[in-house]
Amino acid sequence: MTTLVLLTITGLGLAALYFLVASGLSLIFGLMDVLNFAHGAFLTIGAYGTWWAAGNLPGAGESGWGFVLAVVFGVAVGTLVAALIELLLIRPLYQRHIEQVLVTVGLSLALVALVRAVWGADPRPFPRPGWARGTTSILGANVPNDRFLLIVSAVVVLVAVLAFLRFTRVGLIIRAGVENRTMVTALGIDVRKAFTLVFAIGGAFAALAGALGGIYLGSISPGQGTSLLIFAFIVVVIGGMSSITGTAAAAVLVGLVQQFANYYAASGVGDLSVVLLLAVVLLARPSGLRARLA
Amino acid sequence: MREQAFDRTGRLRRLAPLVVLVVLALLPYSTLSLPGLFEGVLNSPGTLQLLALCLVFGGVALSFDLLFGFTGLLSFGHALYFAAGTYGANLLLTELGWGLGAAVAVTTMAGVVLALLVGSVALRVTGIAFSMVTLATAQAGSIIVLQDPSGLTGGEEGLAVARAPIPDALIGVFNTANKYWLALAYLVLVYAVVTWVTGSRAGRVWQAIRENERRVEVLGLRPYRFKLLVFVLAGLLATLGGIVHLLLLGGSTPRVTTADFTIGLLVMVVLGGAGSRWGAVLGGVLYTYLDSRLTGLASSAAIQDLPAWLRVPLSEPLFILGTLFILVVLFVPGGIAGLVERLGARRRDRRPEIDGPPPGRAVERLRDEVGAGVGAGLGTPRRPDGA
């Protein structure tokens, strides 16, 4: 029972990380038809931004509110980089989806290489605030607190995004744009502003995932974002490519399957079963779990 | 176009690959020194090894171009077949002690079966979803290799190949010239196969699929089968590339299983020019050369003396290659091949022409070939979304 609880909560923590990365990906894909390969780089930037701020930014630190400030700084840098990339590199290639994907591929190489050039390829120990290092006892299992931090953050983000899409005017434009972009443009609404916005939102979530992933794993390295990105892609496809709730469900499914299979079968089997899961879902329902943005 | 094939430029264009081939084949006899470009004279083992690597990746890039440039299938899992080649042959040679011939034959078949399995699932979806499924399956391969099941694949360390089953002529530094010719033979094989199939009827269907898949269906053809064919063929050629790479390096490295490896192939093809045979080969050669030489350049005095804000990014070959790639995508559509075509067209004052029919004409040409069949009577259907 203890193991079961621990595995479930750790799986959910992993799912939270996947969701944070995948939700931005699916928003961007849904609205712009661009699969953003640079998303892993946003994650790396967020993680290194937080790490740098914790050590160098005045007022920020490795614990308490100082650490919160460091995370805010990391997220802000990720958001800014994402918005600038959309404005400067993605927008000039408007409507040329393959080229847009290629640019993000080039960015994923260049940005990660840049981080590696500046801070080296070796993993850096990531600051872990005191409360994240402790454990909480649930049904006899000692669960590390960082898992709850991840899960709570993901749930907050999920609720916030759904509320944003449901209740604001910009959210309405995004939902309409996902459904029929041509029609929204024909109605005289400039969808491109929404493009920049979803890129910025996606960058913010990915950067947050980078900071939280740093706490979860205890260290950060330049290539981390890319390896997480592949699983996030799988989550997006299983979730139906452009649905937030579908992505959340897929993230939970993938996180739990991966944790349990890695524990009960053998290390690595979990990663493989996720790929198998993708094949099964695609064969059974080619459009994924949910077809449209909820 | 037919009359142009017989004029002087047409003949030159046909002879050019042969001339290049002869020069490349004679290269190991040259003691020419190219300071700055290569460290030793041309036929020194180090230079020949680098050149051989360039040729192998020229061939692998061309096999990827068959998918991406000629058919419009953006696979992110091409590394899987290359890895199947190098690890498959390595295991058969090292673990089972098979002869080279048997190992090559069985590995090639395994590569075909693998591509058939993955392709038949992945091609059920189109567009980006196809890219994702291929990426995921290749990732599965990468995970297996890194997990090192029963100590077979060597995990992160890689796997050295046993020397006993390999002919002496392909072993050791003194035989680098032989390995170079092997790499050249592989490139020639890929080039010949790609030239042949892209000119065949199937090749024209692939180009039509790239242009507009729905209209190919309207013509009464099944894109799925044609796409599966090109997927398996490209997988087969990549598997062979993996085997040659194994013989060249004397081992397998897990680096070739990763998504980054496929992304490298994509960069090569886009740099050189997607949909162009020589462009893809040139892209592969150039990328491999730069990737190897830029590492050396980073530690050179010229770079070390630069101010930190310039020196730090320039010390990473991938940063330079990634930036170059973005610039090409943004400003040089069609890559090097497209650039050369445009410059040539400006000089000759005629419209650019790529291998195969000009863009937008592939489907029409296919329709003419299908003739008075199903498609001809339907006029020119447009996609409802106007995309």
Side-chain angles (χ1 to χ4, degrees):
Chain A
M1 187 63 192
T2 318
T3 327
L4 209 63
V5 171
L6 190 64
L7 280 178
T8 308
I9 294 181
T10 308
L12 287 176
L14 200 61
L17 213 52
Y18 289 155
F19 173 74
L20 285 175
V21 182
S23 55
L25 279 175
S26 82
L27 269 182
I28 294 172
F29 182 81
L31 191 62
M32 306 168 66
D33 287 336
V34 174
L35 193 76
N36 182 21
F37 271 81
H39 225 71
F42 297 165
L43 186 138
T44 304
I45 288 171
Y48 274 83
T50 307
W51 168 80
W52 181 86
N56 299 302
L57 193 73
E62 300 205 345
S63 58
W65 288 108
F67 185 73
V68 174
L69 182 65
V71 174
V72 168
F73 178 81
V75 171
V77 173
T79 314
L80 191 69
V81 170
L84 282 178
I85 283 173
E86 202 282 329
L87 284 173
L88 298 177
L89 297 173
I90 307 292
R91 181 162 290 188
L93 296 170
Y94 185 57
Q95 285 288 321
R96 288 159 62 191
H97 303 309
I98 291 289
E99 276 90 343
Q100 288 179 328
V101 174
L102 293 181
V103 164
T104 66
V105 167
L107 280 169
S108 74
L109 290 180
L111 288 177
V112 171
L114 192 62
V115 169
R116 194 164 48 217
V118 177
W119 286 295
D122 296 329
R124 300 265 178 167
F126 198 80
R128 303 181 74 191
W131 41 265
R133 261 177 268 166
T135 57
T136 307
S137 184
I138 290 185
L139 297 170
N142 287 324
V143 184
N145 286 343
D146 50 19
R147 317 284 146 90
F148 297 114
L149 180 68
L150 279 167
I151 296 168
V152 169
S153 308
V155 170
V156 168
V157 163
L158 172 64
V159 172
V161 169
L162 286 179
F164 168 73
L165 289 175
R166 184 84 183 79
F167 297 117
T168 65
R169 186 183 145 74
V170 188
L172 181 67
I173 293 175
I174 293 177
R175 274 189 297 150
V178 169
E179 211 153 286
N180 190 339
R181 197 175 43 215
T182 329
M183 182 57 93
V184 176
T185 318
L187 290 171
I189 296 163
D190 188 4
V191 202
R192 283 180 298 176
K193 279 187 193 128
F195 288 179
T196 317
L197 188 70
V198 288
F199 239 82
I201 293 176
F205 293 168
L208 181 63
L212 296 175
I215 300 173
Y216 176 68
L217 297 166
S219 68
I220 50 172
S221 61
Q224 222 161 46
T226 320
S227 45
L228 241 167
L229 185 66
I230 293 173
F231 288 108
F233 278 155
I234 296 177
V235 167
V236 172
V237 177
I238 293 181
M241 300 300 281
S242 56
S243 148
I244 290 291
T245 43
T247 302
V252 170
L253 188 65
V254 167
L256 288 179
V257 165
Q258 200 173 6
Q259 258 328 301
F260 276 89
N262 268 344
Y263 182 83
Y264 285 110
S267 168
V269 174
D271 304 7
L272 289 179
S273 36
V274 169
V275 176
L276 204 66
L277 190 69
L278 173 73
V280 170
V281 169
L282 275 177
L283 284 175
R285 302 192 58 182
S287 59
L289 288 183
R290 286 288 285 270
R292 282 285 119 195
L293 193 73
Chain B
M1 277 216 301
R2 181 158 295 165
E3 58 274 12
Q4 277 165 9
F6 289 104
D7 70 16
R8 191 170 293 164
T9 48
R11 209 174 305 159
L12 262 178
R13 287 177 77 123
R14 265 183 207 184
L15 279 178
L18 271 181
V19 175
V20 173
L21 174 62
V22 170
V23 169
L24 285 175
L26 293 177
L27 217 97
Y29 296 111
S30 161
T31 51
L32 200 67
S33 173
L34 296 171
L37 281 181
F38 296 105
E39 266 162 17
V41 292
L42 272 184
N43 67 350
S44 66
T47 307
L48 275 184
Q49 176 86 4
L50 173 56
L51 285 172
L53 262 185
C54 290
L55 295 179
V56 170
F57 282 112
V60 180
L62 185 51
S63 78
F64 185 73
D65 195 25
L66 203 54
L67 283 177
F68 176 61
F70 285 98
T71 320
L73 290 173
L74 182 49
S75 161
F76 275 102
H78 210 52
L80 184 63
Y81 312 103
F82 187 88
T86 172
Y87 275 97
N90 198 342
L91 286 176
L92 292 179
L93 290 168
T94 310
E95 290 293 324
L96 301 180
W98 286 20
L100 187 62
V104 169
V106 170
T107 308
T108 313
M109 278 196 291
V112 168
V113 172
L114 190 63
L116 205 56
L117 281 176
V118 173
S120 58
V121 176
L123 287 168
R124 281 169 178 262
V125 288
T126 52
I128 291 298
F130 166 78
S131 308
M132 291 306 90
V133 180
T134 48
L135 177 70
T137 45
Q139 188 62 20
S142 183
I143 293 166
I144 293 176
V145 166
L146 283 175
Q147 285 296 326
D148 195 9
S150 344
L152 276 178
T153 60
E156 283 181 27
E157 304 283 310
L159 189 65
V161 71
R163 282 166 164 234
I166 300 176
D168 289 339
L170 287 173
I171 285 191
V173 177
F174 296 110
N175 289 318
T176 311
N178 293 337
K179 295 188 214 167
Y180 169 86
W181 280 316
L182 178 72
L184 183 61
Y186 165 70
L187 175 59
V188 170
L189 174 77
V190 176
Y191 199 91
V193 168
V194 170
T195 307
W196 175 57
V197 294
T198 51
S200 72
R201 193 172 158 228
R204 283 197 278 283
V205 179
W206 295 338
Q207 277 159 357
I209 289 173
R210 180 189 63 193
E211 304 270 315
N212 192 335
E213 190 171 337
R214 215 175 288 179
R215 287 177 64 182
V216 175
E217 277 178 78
V218 171
L219 291 176
L221 298 166
R222 283 196 195 164
Y224 179 82
R225 286 189 190 171
F226 285 96
K227 288 196 285 187
L228 190 58
L229 181 67
V230 74
F231 193 82
V232 170
L233 182 63
L236 163 72
L237 293 175
T239 308
L240 288 175
I243 299 173
V244 175
H245 190 253
L246 168 74
L247 293 172
L248 201 60
L249 293 192
S252 314
T253 143
R255 217 171 55 89
V256 303
T257 66
T258 58
D260 282 347
F261 183 81
T262 309
I263 288 179
L265 294 179
L266 181 63
V267 174
M268 294 173 192
V269 168
V270 172
L271 278 185
S276 156
R277 291 187 298 264
W278 66 267
V281 173
L282 187 66
V285 170
L286 211 61
Y287 180 96
T288 315
Y289 173 79
L290 286 178
D291 193 28
S292 153
R293 291 293 292 172
L294 287 176
T295 318
L297 190 73
S299 50
S300 72
I303 294 285
Q304 289 299 323
D305 289 344
L306 288 172
W309 64 272
L310 260 179
R311 188 192 68 225
V312 171
L314 288 183
S315 64
E316 273 288 337
L318 271 184
F319 177 76
I320 302 175
L321 286 168
T323 312
L324 191 66
F325 177 74
I326 295 171
L327 292 176
V328 167
V329 172
L330 283 176
F331 302 113
V332 199
I336 300 172
L339 194 67
V340 169
E341 284 293 339
R342 246 168 295 142
L343 289 177
R346 192 174 297 169
R347 209 174 44 216
R348 290 192 302 274
D349 195 28
R350 62 184 180 87
R351 294 186 56 193
E353 164 205 345
I354 320 166
D355 302 341
R361 297 290 308 159
V363 179
E364 278 71 16
R365 203 159 128 174
L366 183 71
R367 193 187 59 209
D368 296 343
E369 287 192 8
V370 173
V374 198
L378 293 177
T380 48
R382 280 181 188 278
R383 289 178 67 177
D385 55 4

